Amino acid sequence: MKKVTSVFTAALLTLASCLSLSGCATGAANTESSAPDDGTSPVKLTFWAGTVTSDRDAVYKQFVNEVHKKYSNITIDYLGVPGSWSSFDQKLNVAISAGTAPDISNHFLASRIKNGYYLALDSYFDAWADKDSVNSNLVTATRNYDQKDHKLYALPYGTQIQIMWERPDVLKAADLSSPSDWGTFFKEVKTLKDTSTGQFGTSIRGGAGSASELEFLMYSYSGITNYFDSKGKSTINDPKNVEFVQKYLGLYNTYTPEDDLTKSWTQLASTFQTGKAVFVAHNLGSASSMAKAFGNDTSKFEAIPLPKSVQGTQVHCGLQPSAMCVSSSTKDKQAAFNAITVYLDKDLQVAYSKVWGEIPANKDSGNDSFFKKTPYMQVGMNLLNSSSTKFSDTPYYLPNYASIETQVEPLIQKVMSKQMSAKEMLDTWAQLLEKDRNTYESQVGKK
């Protein structure tokens, strides 16, 4: 009996030691502890990037080279994965399950916080000498993905800015100016319809991606910045949002082209670039496409902020950070953090912004001539950094946020074709969001 007791006691001591070190339990995957990087011992890291094209590949290879220049002991084995984010995520999920996930990846999802894949970066970020160079709005947006503890599970390097593209040459010919508010926008859309030339004031995205676009526009119109009220009720079906959807989708097939019902972004861009629409809503990710289509002649294409809300405020959707993430299972955690900070160096931030059309997280990058001499990027920089811009608390943290948008897209088409009312559609949307939020908070909790 004495022998059994001593063995049992030893086992308890081993378990206690293991838990205190936060290294033996699977629940400790998010620990920030790490073997120190002395700057001389060789470190090899793996980095996977998603949705890679040839020009994006060049930027990532530049990143890999710059890491080795700055930290000569670190080498990175880089894999660029072409295709969609969904296909990249499938590949990454398989690797996570097999225990072969990369040390660093570039697609930040709230669901991976819950499953313990990401390393919390707070202690590394706090000790980083250049942390103040990172846009504070983007740091906050990244922390918001963890509604429970607001930990920093990724290092943001940029974000897309929602804007509206307009044809300034057409507006000038019609003696009209850029719409600063939604009332003016709706008036001008109707004025600019020209049946003799096939010109419409605007074109609506009714196909893939329609829910996301509509969502950002309606909150810009209503001026509401909270997605849920104090009782947990969704604001997406607020009367002002209903009013907007009625007005905006009500333009379809009278003041917009008939084929808008199934238009994806690519088709919407074509409608704008061929002169069939004077206004289209999107983000700066399409800037390079616009510049190419119009031969970089900014007298023919221009980015403007979304019109001000009915409250007179400039409301932008919650910032969705593009970010570098470190795997919680990586051996060299400090080295991995050191590596991802290089992506926020000024020159790399400029190179990345030119390719992706995103606004960089490094505040100093805005002083580069690319941003100062490129009007549409200036619009994005001003929106991100202006104290008058209000950002909504878009619930990217919800596990089914994106899939709910996919469920809503067919309903948007029903509203456009007058088979469903705007209120019915938004009520359904609100119920889906409330259910997902209740499930999330019951599982995760919120501080």
Side-chain angles (χ1 to χ4, degrees):
M1 178 65 73
K2 250 174 123 180
K3 184 175 182 183
V4 172
T5 302
S6 63
V7 170
F8 181 70
T9 302
L12 286 177
L13 289 171
T14 301
L15 176 61
S17 175
C18 180
L19 291 174
S20 68
L21 291 172
S22 299
C24 298
T26 55
N30 291 332
T31 179
E32 298 175 30
S33 63
S34 173
D37 176 24
D38 59 14
T40 58
S41 300
V43 174
K44 187 172 184 178
L45 301 170
T46 52
F47 165 50
W48 289 7
T51 68
V52 172
T53 58
S54 59
D55 51 357
R56 293 173 181 178
D57 186 64
V59 174
Y60 291 131
K61 286 178 178 176
Q62 182 183 351
F63 161 62
V64 169
N65 290 334
E66 290 300 321
V67 170
H68 191 62
K69 285 182 184 178
K70 188 168 185 176
Y71 300 100
S72 59
N73 65 313
I74 301 176
T75 57
I76 295 180
D77 184 7
Y78 157 65
L79 175 66
V81 182
S84 66
W85 280 121
S86 60
S87 62
F88 175 74
D89 287 331
Q90 288 173 7
K91 182 179 180 65
L92 187 54
N93 289 339
V94 170
I96 292 171
S97 298
T100 58
D103 299 301
I104 301 168
S105 57
N106 74 330
H107 196 206
F108 182 43
L109 296 176
S111 59
R112 294 200 180 112
I113 295 175
K114 184 180 176 183
N115 69 22
Y117 173 62
Y118 296 139
L119 173 71
L121 302 176
D122 300 79
S123 64
Y124 306 103
F125 183 78
D126 291 342
W128 182 32
D130 295 328
K131 66 178 183 295
D132 291 336
S133 68
V134 185
N135 185 283
S136 59
N137 287 329
L138 275 175
V139 174
T140 299
T142 307
R143 291 188 183 280
N144 285 342
Y145 275 56
D146 175 24
Q147 288 286 296
K148 182 180 180 181
D149 298 312
H150 294 277
K151 288 188 175 183
L152 190 69
Y153 282 101
L155 183 64
Y157 57 78
T159 188
Q160 278 293 358
I161 296 294
Q162 299 296 319
I163 49 89
M164 188 171 286
W165 292 109
E166 69 174 16
R167 292 290 305 270
D169 54 337
V170 177
L171 290 174
K172 184 178 180 181
D175 198 25
L176 297 172
S177 56
S178 300
S180 60
D181 60 79
W182 281 104
T184 302
F185 169 81
F186 285 114
K187 288 178 183 177
E188 291 188 352
V189 163
K190 294 176 180 179
T191 300
L192 289 164
K193 180 181 177 180
D194 187 343
T195 53
S196 65
T197 62
Q199 174 184 285
F200 292 92
T202 191
S203 186
I204 295 172
R205 185 173 181 172
S210 60
S212 176
E213 201 72 69
L214 182 64
E215 178 184 348
F216 298 155
L217 295 178
M218 74 173 84
Y219 277 95
S220 171
Y221 174 88
S222 67
I224 298 169
T225 56
N226 58 301
Y227 265 68
F228 298 96
D229 64 19
S230 58
K231 296 180 180 178
K233 294 293 184 183
S234 173
T235 61
I236 206 159
N237 59 344
D238 181 271
K240 286 298 178 185
N241 283 337
V242 173
E243 180 178 281
F244 174 79
V245 174
Q246 289 172 335
K247 289 182 177 181
Y248 187 68
L249 297 188
L251 296 172
Y252 169 65
N253 204 23
T254 301
Y255 297 102
T256 80
E258 184 179 2
D259 62 355
D260 279 2
L261 191 65
T262 57
K263 272 183 183 168
S264 64
W265 164 247
T266 303
Q267 296 163 320
L268 196 71
S270 176
T271 300
F272 178 78
Q273 292 166 1
T274 56
K276 299 291 185 182
V278 181
F279 301 107
V280 291
H282 196 235
N283 57 57
L284 287 175
S286 52
S288 60
S289 168
M290 293 298 178
K292 183 177 181 180
F294 291 102
N296 213 28
D297 183 352
T298 52
S299 70
K300 295 180 180 178
F301 78 104
E302 182 177 30
I304 61 170
L306 296 180
K308 288 184 178 179
S309 72
V310 291
Q311 299 180 34
T313 52
Q314 186 73 62
V315 175
H316 193 282
C317 61
L319 294 174
Q320 194 167 16
S322 296
M324 289 285 188
C325 316
V326 175
S327 169
S328 58
S329 63
T330 189
K331 178 183 176 183
D332 300 289
K333 295 178 173 60
Q334 181 65 60
F337 179 78
N338 290 344
I340 63 176
T341 62
V342 174
Y343 203 69
L344 275 82
D345 285 354
K346 180 182 175 181
D347 290 344
L348 266 170
Q349 287 270 276
V350 174
Y352 133 78
S353 297
K354 286 180 178 178
V355 171
W356 286 80
E358 293 192 353
I359 302 302
N362 185 328
K363 293 182 292 186
D364 297 333
S365 297
N367 295 322
D368 187 87
S369 60
F370 168 66
F371 296 101
K372 289 188 173 182
K373 295 181 179 179
T374 310
Y376 50 80
M377 297 305 290
Q378 270 294 302
V379 169
M381 293 289 290
N382 291 340
L383 279 169
L384 178 60
N385 297 312
S386 173
S387 59
S388 64
T389 303
K390 295 186 176 183
F391 296 98
S392 63
D393 58 358
T394 312
Y396 302 121
Y397 60 86
L398 291 179
N400 296 308
Y401 172 76
S403 62
I404 287 172
E405 288 185 333
T406 302
Q407 293 179 61
V408 169
E409 288 176 0
L411 305 185
I412 291 174
Q413 293 178 332
K414 286 188 175 183
V415 176
M416 292 173 71
S417 57
K418 297 180 173 53
Q419 299 175 45
M420 175 182 275
S421 71
K423 187 176 187 308
E424 288 173 323
M425 184 266 288
L426 291 177
D427 284 346
T428 301
W429 200 340
Q431 290 167 9
L432 291 170
L433 286 171
E434 288 165 7
K435 181 180 178 181
D436 199 34
R437 183 174 184 264
N438 290 337
T439 301
Y440 173 82
E441 293 202 347
S442 67
Q443 292 176 347
V444 180
K446 182 178 177 182
K447 290 185 178 180

